[in-house]
Amino acid sequence: MYLSRVEIDVNNWRNAKKLTQLSAFHDWVEQSFPDEIDSKEQMPHLWRLDRLVNKNYLLIVSQNKPDSILLSRLGTVVTKNYDKFLDSIEFDQLMNFQLTANPSFKSAEGKVTPSITVKDQAQWLIEQAEKAGFQLKRSEFKITSREWPVALHRDGRRVRLSRVTFMGKLRVKDVNLFKQALTNGIGLEKIFGMGLMTVIPLAE
């Protein structure tokens, strides 16, 4: 597995414009894996947009290493092997986390409905935690961003998505499930930059 980070050059007006287009980012990420395209065996790629200290970043978690030249069309690229970190994760380990996700639930009829309120969105994460191999308390995480970006589906439909960023502390309770959550993502709408969680181990 690989973890890539692109510092986006927003001084380029094309790059700045693309910051508002989730479908453009999805296409850019996919095109950065030409070997997968050529072999017609494209793998899922998790990605997320971050803003830190007035800088914009694109994070990508992928099974294969992206083409750094193609990926650098919007900015400076750093790619690291992610497996060493994944292999270091231990049971009961305490970590800081950040997750941008699409909190939602399915009705009895199978219709997907976004969680609207802060309370429901927080409860959604607590429920996801058990399935993803970690534990967290409501007092130990917060919602730092709630947005409704518009995305363009392949069938031409424009849809408004719920995008929520969570930050806080978690404790690993099932190492295998937790690794799957870090590499496969949490929740829906992954092609539009949802579901990628990053973590930093904490000393106790």
Side-chain angles (χ1 to χ4, degrees):
M1 299 297 298
Y2 293 89
L3 176 63
S4 303
R5 188 180 79 168
V6 184
E7 182 181 334
I8 302 169
D9 178 11
V10 295
N11 292 322
N12 182 319
W13 71 268
R14 290 187 179 86
N15 297 354
K17 183 178 180 180
K18 284 187 176 181
L19 282 173
T20 64
Q21 301 175 10
L22 296 183
S23 55
F25 271 102
H26 167 68
D27 291 342
W28 174 38
V29 169
E30 296 302 302
Q31 291 166 11
S32 298
F33 296 86
D35 291 343
E36 294 181 8
I37 295 174
D38 291 342
S39 66
K40 297 182 180 180
E41 295 182 359
Q42 284 186 275
M43 307 298 293
H45 309 120
L46 284 177
W47 62 274
R48 182 179 87 205
L49 295 173
D50 279 354
R51 183 169 177 79
L52 180 64
V53 193
N54 296 321
K55 292 185 178 181
N56 294 280
Y57 296 95
L58 169 68
L59 297 180
I60 304 173
V61 169
S62 58
Q63 182 170 322
N64 297 314
K65 189 175 183 179
D67 185 305
S68 60
I69 295 176
L70 293 174
L71 194 57
S72 65
R73 286 179 294 176
L74 292 189
T76 306
V77 179
V78 176
T79 297
K80 296 182 178 180
N81 190 299
Y82 202 25
D83 289 322
K84 184 177 180 180
F85 173 75
L86 294 173
D87 291 341
S88 72
I89 296 173
E90 299 178 350
F91 171 77
D92 215 36
Q93 192 170 10
L94 184 65
M95 296 184 172
N96 275 336
F97 78 91
Q98 180 173 335
L99 166 68
T100 295
N102 173 244
S104 55
F105 61 92
K106 280 189 176 181
S107 66
E109 296 77 24
K111 181 180 179 181
V112 177
T113 304
S115 299
I116 302 297
T117 67
V118 169
K119 180 180 178 181
D120 287 345
Q121 291 167 347
Q123 183 59 36
W124 173 86
L125 181 57
I126 291 171
E127 293 172 0
Q128 293 295 312
E130 183 176 355
K131 295 183 286 186
F134 64 93
Q135 180 184 71
L136 74 173
K137 299 177 182 178
R138 180 63 187 94
S139 60
E140 293 183 339
F141 73 91
K142 61 183 179 180
I143 292 174
T144 61
S145 175
R146 302 170 72 231
E147 302 170 296
W148 294 88
V150 174
L152 182 66
H153 275 274
R154 293 194 182 278
D155 60 7
R157 290 182 300 118
R158 295 176 65 85
V159 294
R160 190 169 293 278
L161 304 174
S162 172
R163 181 171 63 189
V164 180
T165 298
F166 305 88
M167 296 181 69
K169 296 179 182 179
L170 60 78
R171 191 173 293 277
V172 179
K173 289 301 180 182
D174 186 308
V175 173
N176 289 330
L177 286 178
F178 188 63
K179 287 182 181 180
Q180 290 177 26
L182 293 180
T183 56
N184 297 334
I186 298 174
L188 303 177
E189 303 295 357
K190 296 182 180 70
I191 66 170
F192 292 124
M194 318 286 185
L196 172 56
M197 180 167 69
T198 50
V199 294
I200 300 175
L202 292 172
E204 295 191 75

